[in-house]
Amino acid sequence: MRKFSTVIALIVIGSSVAFSAGPIGFGLQATGANLNVSGLTDVYGFGFGGGGHLDFSLPILFSFRLQGDYVRFSPDAAKYAGVVFPHQTGISVQGGDVNMISGHVSTKMSPLPLPLISPYLTAGVGITKMDVGGIQVKGYTGPIPTLASGTSTSANAGVGVDVNLIVVSLYLETRYTWIFADGGTSTYVPVSLGITF
């Protein structure tokens, strides 16, 4: 609970400082991500989703982005059976989808703020909620290893590029993200293509 409260406080403080410092932009993004779960490596492939963001520009090379994303992942049934039940045959796996909702406040630093294209570095903290659907395994009666649903602290670091057009900006961004869950740290790498007004 203390971790959760600390993250919320950081988000509020970061957003408040950024809000008071300069212009605000908002927009939408399409997001795809690769999920790597401890103990279930390669079982979950690429997931797709999207979200929204608010940008708070500062009169220096830094800005803040408050970003929320939703991504859905589905396990590969054959890989799941091979990883969890490597020495058994006749195993059939269904379900186990992961719905991931994340919210992060991140800093953006543009060391080369060019007129049209501005590459940037980004890093941030936030929370990630994983909602794991039930999984059914036919041909097996023992305990079934699976992900646990829950909300955890998360952090990210990445790179991106803004394409500054006359009225809007387009951006492409990738972030390596750590999810600090009780059962172990998982990672995912979201790639976002977005537009900011």
Side-chain angles (χ1 to χ4, degrees), residues 8-193:
I8 293 299
L10 287 172
I11 291 174
V12 171
I13 291 170
S15 299
S16 299
V17 170
F19 184 86
S20 63
I24 300 173
F26 66 94
L28 302 171
Q29 69 269 358
T31 300
N34 186 51
L35 178 63
N36 182 18
V37 180
S38 178
L40 295 174
T41 303
D42 296 331
V43 168
Y44 288 89
F46 210 74
F48 296 95
H53 61 273
L54 290 173
D55 284 352
F56 306 95
S57 299
L58 303 179
I60 51 176
L61 298 179
F62 286 91
S63 62
F64 287 89
R65 172 168 286 165
L66 182 61
Q67 182 168 330
D69 274 299
Y70 165 80
V71 182
R72 182 182 180 91
F73 301 91
S74 297
D76 183 296
K79 288 183 178 180
Y80 190 100
V83 169
V84 179
F85 313 104
H87 306 296
Q88 299 188 45
T89 58
I91 299 294
S92 174
V93 178
Q94 292 182 331
D97 291 343
V98 175
N99 295 294
M100 184 179 294
I101 300 173
S102 63
H104 291 92
V105 59
S106 303
T107 59
K108 289 176 59 182
M109 183 183 73
S110 301
L112 297 171
L114 303 174
L116 179 62
I117 299 177
S118 299
Y120 61 85
L121 303 173
T122 183
V125 296
I127 54 174
T128 298
K129 182 180 187 298
M130 295 176 65
D131 184 15
V132 182
I135 192 164
Q136 297 86 39
V137 178
K138 296 181 180 179
Y140 182 77
T141 57
I144 302 170
T146 186
L147 292 175
S149 297
T151 302
S152 306
T153 302
S154 51
N156 66 70
V159 295
V161 60
D162 286 322
V163 179
N164 305 306
L165 305 178
I166 296 174
V167 179
V168 300
S169 292
L170 304 178
Y171 76 89
L172 179 65
E173 179 183 277
T174 183
R175 293 169 287 137
Y176 194 90
T177 305
W178 297 266
I179 305 170
F180 305 108
D182 292 338
T185 301
S186 298
T187 61
Y188 74 109
V189 184
V191 178
S192 296
L193 178 62

